[in-house]
Amino acid sequence: MPTYTAPIRDMEFVLNEVLGVAASDVPGYGELEPGFTSAILEEAGKIASDVLTPLNASGDREGCRLENGVVYTPKGFKEAFAAMKEGGWNGLDLPEDYGGQNLPYIMGTAVGEIFVSANMAFNMYQGLTHGAISAILAHGTDDQKQTFLPKMVSLDWTGTMNLTEPHAGTDLGMIRTKAEPQKDGSYRITGQKIFISAGDHDLADNVIHLVLAKAPGGGEGTRGISLFIVPKFLVKEDGTLGERNGVSVGNIEEKMGIHGNATCVMNYDGATGYLLGELHKGMRNMFTMMNEARLGVGLQGYAVAEPAYQNAVTYARDRLQGRAVTGTENPSGPADPLIVHPDIRRNLMDQKSFLEGARAFTLWGASLIDRAHRSDDKDAEGMISLLTPVIKGFLTDKGFETAVAAQQVYGGHGYIEEQGMSQFTRDARITMIYEGANGVQALDLVGRKLAADGGKHVMAFFEMVKGFIKENDGDDALKKDFLDPLKAASKDLQAAGMFFMQNGMKNPNAALAGSYDFMHLFGHVCLGLMWARSAKAALAALAGGTGDKAFYETKLATGRYYMARQLPMTTTHLARIQSGAEPVMALAAEAF
Amino acid sequence: MPTYTAPIRDMEFVLNEVLGVAASDVPGYGELEPGFTSAILEEAGKIASDVLTPLNASGDREGCRLENGVVYTPKGFKEAFAAMKEGGWNGLDLPEDYGGQNLPYIMGTAVGEIFVSANMAFNMYQGLTHGAISAILAHGTDDQKQTFLPKMVSLDWTGTMNLTEPHAGTDLGMIRTKAEPQKDGSYRITGQKIFISAGDHDLADNVIHLVLAKAPGGGEGTRGISLFIVPKFLVKEDGTLGERNGVSVGNIEEKMGIHGNATCVMNYDGATGYLLGELHKGMRNMFTMMNEARLGVGLQGYAVAEPAYQNAVTYARDRLQGRAVTGTENPSGPADPLIVHPDIRRNLMDQKSFLEGARAFTLWGASLIDRAHRSDDKDAEGMISLLTPVIKGFLTDKGFETAVAAQQVYGGHGYIEEQGMSQFTRDARITMIYEGANGVQALDLVGRKLAADGGKHVMAFFEMVKGFIKENDGDDALKKDFLDPLKAASKDLQAAGMFFMQNGMKNPNAALAGSYDFMHLFGHVCLGLMWARSAKAALAALAGGTGDKAFYETKLATGRYYMARQLPMTTTHLARIQSGAEPVMALAAEAF
């Protein structure tokens, strides 16, 4: 069975040396001293390795079940959930007023990576709760906050997000769930929602559903949508639980992966709901949490591949098969370990250089969210809005690829469920789909984010890259291996943006046909930037006479690999983009 | 549930118009007249759609089970297998002497694609038998042929290949299964084999295992290996079945996919075996079937993605979600179909252009095998040996990608097992692993095939590409869209080969670090060539005033897409290759 060790040293490197959090001017970052953050990460790492990882494969095998309307999670989940509650992990980055610890979001993100890596399906019960809390925090009345938040922060109650209906996924304007206003100010909610992660379970006393529904008078499409709080059990005046609300689980979906999480069909039969935020502003309200939610899924994308990588490394070191082409390396054994073979290394380096770059990228993104939320910095808000579809789309596509690559190291043993490598691939697959399928992320990026605020944020991104290159241009150790490839990749990205500007006005399809490639091109430039910044930090540590030379030299070598072997993808993405709409749109629908 | 329609029109195009089989000088091809081959393909398509496809998802859900030593296949498999026997499909391309129809291998390949697409797990029972038959045909004594082949050709008995042991996968030199010579000339076989596809089942009266084992006196490593026939039931003098042999199923593996096929742990406890071919030449004998076996897996790679594509197209036409950015296309509906969206088309075009290119490539490969086997043409043998790792590695990697892409079109519904799209992804995953993991294919290509016969075959490949370009250089309709990109891609391939020549001698790792990229680069050039040839055939048909204009125009547009949007990958592969060994080999094993 796969094991997992939290990559704490690498997280420390990103937080302390690349992002320099404690010295940053983001409000609240001053307390993120190395000793403090490391203690938190180590504690999270312990519960991850000892409690969550052992339940990952068993949860996958057992799955969830629905019996007489009650959802049961896999064996051991209850005890593990109690441990998470006990540790107060859910409140780490939530307000003290409701029982949280008010640490920056970046810490919640780092800890979140650890929990997702250990057990993605399990962590979703908490993750969805976190999202629902954010929505109530942003849009709830004081009364709603007092009623729901303390119990949700403590995980006595969990939360869900109810958007999708059988005929309405991406196109939420078509939802049919209706909300009828009642005399007491509440609403009667009726309709069916599908694909509801953590929709019900036996881990908490109550489940607080956030439900998109149409109330009268809102007009057609998305404008008619409002957001409602629909608790599984109604909450009495004194805060204790009252009668069961009119919401029930119709079915648990059989899925390709994340079997430990109950993905439910939820039936609302005149359930009592409470308007959350303004009437008919449900879509806008839901989307205020979108950057965080999507960053969370981007994080899942690479985090689920981290243990896959770790176990592939172990297997490559232990499994004896064949001899090194350059001469036997394990003369006393019947064969050399897999890791001597160049193509095994090529595969492992692909994985390692992606994972570390993705981690830096995601934590940088989290720092932008902190800056935006804690200091009302509109530029940070604009930048993270631009980068969010890249984080979500690129990191989940590449995370899945990484899980597949790790599985490949095992050969035939990777295909056998007993080894646990198939699960990472199956679990990773969903991250490319939910919270907006990756094609929708690409559309959001090219159709909306690029031109937002007059293109200000994408220009700021290019300026930032250019600034970094210029600032370090005299550094020979950085120049050839890092700055030059970054410059070339960034030029490709600019050329792609230029192509969209010149052609997209006349024909929007000319831009949208290249949107997916643009998302990946952008992702490579972001990871290239993170690697250049990481290399700079590593060189500084080496120049300063670090006691941990091996770590920094490995970091540099891994970065060089990314720049030499991954970044060249930008030229192919650009060529595809520049081929325009014609090849993509040539066929009539019936010609496929 | 997914449906499947055999792509007969496209197969006809490849056979008749691209490869021109009936007019070809390959012995036996003269009878492959359009009317004759179409009738066969249509019959195969009927049994595929009506009998095999309906059992695909149910076989996946139910899987195989082992009860009291007996393996049971999923419901309906027995009846379907009887229908396959009844139709004589297994003997299509096998010698008449043993009950076959002696058609060329290319017809077996085309029909095989249809059966794999309909139900890959089911088709493996027959596919493995086919492989075992080839081995006995090539190396068996007359007596062995008479005893085993008629029953295997008719599918009364099936066959298996037993290579892998728990500690010996790629590195077969380490196998421990031993063969002790007996006085009567037979051997006692003792050992354990794993990952034995179709290892046992309830579909046939007997299972004929071909087993690699070590007999005394052969020396260390692969030199000591011999190949043995080990029947599940011993065969009496009169050809009827005698007592049960000492071979049993230890376990059925739980796998990520192909659940309908029983992947068995086989235990040999002093089982009676008969030497097949020369003593201590087992590896060589096994590898004589390698081109066919690996082409068969490359075929599986794209064939399993064909129904995934077909169903994604249907879904994209039917599912209403969002509006076309260029203006509403379905004003009477609540939304436009998915297929109006450029990124959905980009995705579907990726799939379609790969699948049709892969089909042409595979059938061309099959024609080379026919030429080699039927005319003893050493150049054809050399060419297919060169191309085999490309067919296996490139087509299975891309086939898996294609299945994943098709699943993506379904959004959240693609992740739900009920829809059947997950199965294509899970089934496709094995093709990248078995019959030599794709990294091993890349090693075979760069480490062995490139330099084989003094590099003669790769030079012949380049000459062929160059010849085609030169021969058609005056054709303006081909030049810009097809010949120019093919020329550029082929140049990249040559540059990569040159890099290996210049650097691989000093440091083999400089070549092997780029082997995987080389395999993909080669694959793209092959598909580019197939598309250029297809375009030429389509233009000829259009010029000749065909009645089926839409087919040929679609063919051209699909080819243009491949050349414009897929072929540019060659530049990235070349850049990776030219970065050499250093980035790949930089880390110490403990630094990962």
Side-chain angles (χ1 to χ4, degrees):
Chain A
M1 275 298 111
T3 58
Y4 168 67
T5 307
I8 292 173
R9 181 67 187 88
D10 197 49
M11 290 181 167
E12 290 170 338
F13 172 73
V14 175
L15 292 174
N16 304 328
E17 300 172 69
V18 181
L19 301 177
V21 288
S24 144
D25 62 345
V26 177
Y29 272 35
E31 62 182 314
L32 299 181
E33 289 294 341
F36 176 66
T37 54
S38 294
I40 292 171
L41 297 176
E42 270 158 30
E43 210 48 52
K46 232 176 271 172
I47 190 170
S49 298
D50 299 347
V51 179
L52 305 188
T53 292
L55 297 175
N56 194 41
S58 60
D60 177 61
R61 255 196 314 276
E62 190 183 332
C64 298
R65 63 187 206 282
L66 177 66
E67 275 175 27
N68 302 319
V70 179
V71 175
Y72 297 92
T73 57
K75 206 175 147 204
F77 272 39
K78 260 186 158 166
E79 294 73 14
F81 202 73
M84 294 297 282
K85 275 175 73 166
E86 175 78 23
W89 289 106
N90 191 49
L92 193 78
D93 55 0
L94 292 172
E96 284 172 329
D97 288 354
Y98 306 105
Q101 295 169 60
N102 203 33
L103 286 179
Y105 176 70
I106 196 171
M107 284 308 295
T109 303
V111 166
E113 182 197 310
I114 294 173
F115 292 156
V116 170
S117 290
N119 196 325
M120 176 169 150
F122 175 87
N123 192 61
M124 288 171 66
Y125 293 101
Q126 174 175 324
L128 271 295
T129 306
H130 213 280
I133 290 170
S134 297
I136 296 174
L137 269 175
H139 305 294
T141 63
D142 283 348
D143 204 35
Q144 286 172 337
K145 290 179 186 172
Q146 288 307 333
T147 302
F148 296 106
L149 292 183
K151 293 284 194 184
M152 293 173 78
V153 170
S154 68
L155 290 180
D156 286 314
W157 302 348
T158 66
T160 72
M161 303 295 228
N162 288 241
L163 288 75
T164 306
E165 298 183 8
H167 62 290
T170 300
D171 194 347
L172 289 169
M174 296 200 290
I175 64 167
R176 292 180 194 144
T177 297
K178 59 181 182 185
E180 301 160 280
Q182 305 298 299
K183 285 189 187 137
D184 64 356
S186 72
Y187 289 76
R188 280 174 61 88
I189 311 293
T190 304
Q192 188 180 63
K193 295 288 181 178
I194 62 169
F195 303 157
I196 308 309
S197 298
D200 204 358
H201 52 79
D202 54 358
L203 303 176
D205 299 333
N206 203 4
V207 181
I208 310 305
H209 301 290
L210 300 194
V211 183
L212 287 184
K214 290 194 168 174
E220 289 293 298
T222 53
R223 281 169 306 149
I225 294 175
S226 306
L227 186 56
F228 298 90
I229 301 175
V230 185
K232 175 179 170 184
F233 289 99
L234 295 173
V235 182
K236 291 195 275 194
E237 286 284 326
D238 64 358
T240 61
L241 297 185
E243 60 184 289
R244 179 75 190 244
N245 202 353
V247 49
S248 60
V249 177
N251 192 19
I252 299 181
E253 304 283 7
E254 297 264 352
K255 308 183 299 290
M256 184 178 177
I258 52 167
H259 296 154
N261 197 274
T263 305
C264 299
V265 173
M266 301 300 302
N267 293 322
Y268 293 87
D269 301 304
T272 298
Y274 311 103
L275 182 67
L276 177 59
E278 261 182 278
L279 191 67
H280 306 318
K281 304 282 189 219
M283 281 299 279
R284 206 188 56 184
N285 293 348
M286 196 58 119
F287 275 87
T288 51
M289 285 96 53
M290 211 42 101
N291 288 343
E292 275 181 63
R294 290 182 168 176
L295 183 135
V297 175
L299 177 145
Q300 283 185 323
Y302 79 84
V304 71
E306 167 71 31
Y309 162 72
Q310 289 186 11
N311 287 279
V313 168
T314 305
Y315 193 81
R317 284 190 191 124
D318 293 349
R319 173 85 171 170
L320 304 179
Q321 209 79 178
R323 291 293 184 187
V325 67
T326 46
T328 295
E329 298 201 10
N330 177 33
S332 63
D336 289 342
L338 286 182
I339 205 162
V340 306
H341 302 302
D343 188 63
I344 294 285
R345 281 176 172 266
R346 187 267 318 155
N347 182 340
L348 293 176
M349 290 300 289
D350 278 346
Q351 296 176 48
K352 182 175 169 65
S353 65
F354 164 71
L355 289 168
E356 293 179 15
R359 177 173 301 121
F361 184 26
T362 303
L363 290 174
W364 173 46
S367 77
L368 289 169
I369 289 182
D370 275 325
R371 187 179 291 275
H373 287 188
R374 291 175 170 243
S375 73
D376 217 29
D377 180 329
K378 290 289 169 215
D379 288 341
E381 175 76 36
M383 183 64 79
I384 189 60
S385 291
L386 171 70
L387 296 178
T388 292
V390 181
I391 292 174
K392 199 283 180 182
F394 181 70
L395 298 191
T396 58
D397 278 357
K398 289 284 167 186
F400 175 71
E401 256 182 56
T402 301
V404 170
Q407 187 185 14
Q408 189 73 11
V409 173
Y410 277 64
H413 297 273
Y415 199 65
I416 304 300
E417 292 293 352
E418 192 191 353
Q419 292 282 355
M421 297 302 284
S422 157
Q423 187 188 350
F424 299 123
T425 295
R426 292 185 289 98
D427 285 358
R429 184 68 187 86
I430 189 58
T431 66
M432 297 155 71
I433 298 172
Y434 63 17
E435 206 61 43
N438 286 356
V440 174
Q441 303 298 328
L443 177 64
D444 177 48
L445 175 64
V446 170
R448 199 175 297 140
K449 300 296 176 61
L450 271 191
D453 299 322
K456 178 179 166 186
H457 308 296
V458 73
M459 294 309 296
F461 179 84
F462 288 129
E463 284 307 313
M464 181 179 53
V465 174
K466 211 190 281 177
F468 180 84
I469 292 170
K470 205 169 167 187
E471 186 186 312
N472 297 285
D473 206 34
D475 188 338
D476 286 345
L478 275 181
K479 191 160 169 27
K480 187 177 131 288
D481 291 343
F482 292 94
L483 302 182
D484 290 350
L486 176 60
K487 195 189 237 173
S490 176
K491 261 192 183 162
D492 286 343
L493 185 63
Q494 281 180 277
M498 192 62 76
F499 179 85
F500 289 162
M501 292 226 302
Q502 287 166 345
N503 299 277
M505 291 294 196
K506 293 191 293 269
N507 178 13
N509 287 342
L512 296 183
S515 59
Y516 211 91
D517 283 286
F518 188 81
M519 179 172 76
H520 273 250
L521 206 176
F522 209 148
H524 278 296
V525 174
C526 288
L527 258 62
L529 174 65
M530 298 323 297
W531 270 117
R533 291 178 62 178
S534 296
K536 183 179 173 169
L539 287 166
L542 287 168
T546 170
D548 195 2
K549 238 177 117 179
F551 175 83
Y552 295 103
E553 283 173 352
T554 296
K555 185 57 81 174
L556 283 169
T558 309
R560 281 192 203 103
Y561 182 92
Y562 194 88
M563 305 311 273
R565 309 237 346 159
Q566 290 299 330
L567 222 48
M569 264 311 293
T570 60
T571 57
T572 291
H573 286 305
L574 177 60
R576 286 182 184 159
I577 289 165
Q578 289 178 334
S579 74
E582 168 59 21
V584 174
M585 306 302 291
L587 295 190
E590 59 275 15
F592 281 90
Chain B
M1 275 299 113
T3 58
Y4 168 68
T5 307
I8 291 172
R9 180 67 187 91
D10 197 49
M11 289 180 167
E12 290 169 337
F13 173 72
V14 175
L15 292 174
N16 304 329
E17 299 173 69
V18 180
L19 302 177
V21 288
S24 144
D25 62 345
V26 177
Y29 272 35
E31 62 182 316
L32 299 181
E33 289 295 340
F36 176 67
T37 55
S38 295
I40 293 171
L41 297 175
E42 269 156 30
E43 210 48 52
K46 233 176 269 169
I47 190 171
S49 299
D50 298 347
V51 180
L52 305 188
T53 292
L55 296 176
N56 194 40
S58 60
D60 177 62
R61 255 196 316 275
E62 189 184 332
C64 298
R65 63 187 205 283
L66 177 66
E67 274 173 28
N68 303 318
V70 180
V71 175
Y72 297 92
T73 57
K75 207 175 145 202
F77 272 39
K78 261 186 157 165
E79 293 74 14
F81 202 74
M84 295 296 282
K85 274 176 72 167
E86 174 78 22
W89 289 105
N90 191 49
L92 193 76
D93 55 1
L94 292 172
E96 284 171 331
D97 289 353
Y98 306 106
Q101 295 169 58
N102 204 31
L103 286 179
Y105 177 70
I106 197 170
M107 284 310 295
T109 303
V111 166
E113 182 197 311
I114 293 174
F115 292 156
V116 171
S117 290
N119 196 326
M120 175 168 150
F122 174 87
N123 192 62
M124 287 170 67
Y125 293 102
Q126 174 176 326
L128 270 295
T129 306
H130 213 281
I133 290 170
S134 297
I136 296 174
L137 269 175
H139 305 293
T141 63
D142 283 347
D143 203 36
Q144 287 171 336
K145 290 179 188 173
Q146 289 307 335
T147 303
F148 296 107
L149 291 183
K151 292 285 192 182
M152 292 174 78
V153 170
S154 67
L155 290 180
D156 285 314
W157 302 349
T158 66
T160 71
M161 302 294 229
N162 289 239
L163 288 75
T164 306
E165 299 184 7
H167 62 289
T170 300
D171 193 347
L172 288 169
M174 296 200 291
I175 64 166
R176 292 180 195 143
T177 297
K178 58 180 183 186
E180 301 159 280
Q182 305 298 299
K183 285 188 189 139
D184 64 357
S186 72
Y187 289 77
R188 280 173 61 87
I189 311 290
T190 305
Q192 188 180 62
K193 295 287 180 178
I194 63 170
F195 303 158
I196 308 310
S197 298
D200 203 358
H201 52 79
D202 54 359
L203 303 176
D205 299 333
N206 203 4
V207 181
I208 310 305
H209 302 288
L210 300 195
V211 183
L212 287 184
K214 291 194 168 176
E220 289 294 297
T222 53
R223 282 170 304 149
I225 295 175
S226 305
L227 186 56
F228 298 90
I229 301 176
V230 186
K232 175 179 169 184
F233 290 98
L234 294 173
V235 182
K236 290 194 277 193
E237 287 284 327
D238 63 357
T240 61
L241 297 185
E243 61 185 287
R244 178 77 190 242
N245 202 352
V247 48
S248 59
V249 177
N251 191 21
I252 299 182
E253 303 283 5
E254 298 263 354
K255 308 182 299 291
M256 186 177 177
I258 50 167
H259 295 155
N261 197 274
T263 305
C264 298
V265 173
M266 300 301 301
N267 293 323
Y268 293 87
D269 302 304
T272 298
Y274 311 102
L275 183 66
L276 177 60
E278 260 183 278
L279 191 67
H280 306 317
K281 303 282 190 218
M283 282 299 281
R284 207 189 56 184
N285 292 349
M286 196 59 120
F287 275 86
T288 51
M289 285 94 55
M290 210 44 101
N291 288 343
E292 274 181 64
R294 290 183 167 174
L295 185 136
V297 175
L299 177 145
Q300 283 186 323
Y302 78 85
V304 69
E306 167 71 30
Y309 162 73
Q310 290 185 11
N311 287 279
V313 168
T314 304
Y315 193 81
R317 284 191 192 125
D318 293 348
R319 173 85 170 169
L320 304 179
Q321 210 79 178
R323 290 293 185 187
V325 68
T326 46
T328 295
E329 298 201 10
N330 177 34
S332 62
D336 288 342
L338 285 181
I339 206 163
V340 305
H341 302 301
D343 188 63
I344 294 285
R345 279 173 172 269
R346 187 266 319 155
N347 182 340
L348 293 175
M349 290 300 289
D350 279 345
Q351 296 174 50
K352 182 175 169 64
S353 64
F354 164 70
L355 289 168
E356 293 178 16
R359 177 173 301 123
F361 184 26
T362 303
L363 290 175
W364 173 45
S367 77
L368 289 169
I369 289 181
D370 275 325
R371 186 179 293 274
H373 287 187
R374 290 175 172 244
S375 72
D376 216 30
D377 179 331
K378 291 288 170 216
D379 289 339
E381 175 76 38
M383 183 64 80
I384 190 59
S385 291
L386 172 70
L387 297 178
T388 291
V390 182
I391 292 174
K392 199 284 180 180
F394 181 70
L395 298 191
T396 59
D397 278 357
K398 288 286 168 187
F400 175 72
E401 256 182 57
T402 301
V404 170
Q407 187 185 13
Q408 189 73 10
V409 173
Y410 276 65
H413 297 274
Y415 199 63
I416 305 300
E417 292 293 352
E418 193 191 351
Q419 291 281 354
M421 296 302 283
S422 156
Q423 187 189 349
F424 299 123
T425 295
R426 291 185 290 97
D427 285 358
R429 184 68 186 87
I430 189 59
T431 65
M432 297 155 72
I433 298 173
Y434 63 18
E435 206 59 47
N438 285 356
V440 175
Q441 303 298 327
L443 176 64
D444 178 48
L445 175 65
V446 170
R448 197 173 302 140
K449 301 296 176 63
L450 272 190
D453 298 324
K456 177 178 167 188
H457 308 296
V458 72
M459 294 310 295
F461 179 84
F462 287 129
E463 283 308 312
M464 180 181 51
V465 173
K466 212 191 280 178
F468 181 83
I469 292 171
K470 206 171 167 187
E471 184 187 314
N472 297 285
D473 206 35
D475 188 337
D476 286 345
L478 274 181
K479 189 160 170 29
K480 188 176 132 287
D481 292 343
F482 292 94
L483 302 181
D484 290 351
L486 176 61
K487 194 188 239 174
S490 176
K491 261 193 183 163
D492 286 344
L493 185 64
Q494 280 180 278
M498 193 61 76
F499 179 84
F500 291 161
M501 290 225 304
Q502 287 167 345
N503 299 275
M505 290 296 195
K506 291 191 295 270
N507 178 12
N509 287 341
L512 296 182
S515 59
Y516 212 89
D517 282 285
F518 189 80
M519 178 173 76
H520 274 250
L521 206 176
F522 210 148
H524 278 297
V525 174
C526 289
L527 259 62
L529 174 65
M530 297 324 295
W531 272 116
R533 291 178 63 178
S534 297
K536 183 178 174 170
L539 287 166
L542 287 167
T546 170
D548 195 3
K549 237 177 120 180
F551 175 83
Y552 295 103
E553 283 173 352
T554 297
K555 185 57 82 176
L556 282 170
T558 308
R560 281 191 202 105
Y561 182 93
Y562 194 89
M563 305 311 274
R565 310 236 347 159
Q566 290 299 330
L567 221 49
M569 264 311 294
T570 61
T571 57
T572 291
H573 287 306
L574 177 60
R576 286 181 183 158
I577 289 165
Q578 289 177 333
S579 74
E582 167 59 21
V584 173
M585 305 303 290
L587 296 189
E590 58 275 15
F592 280 88

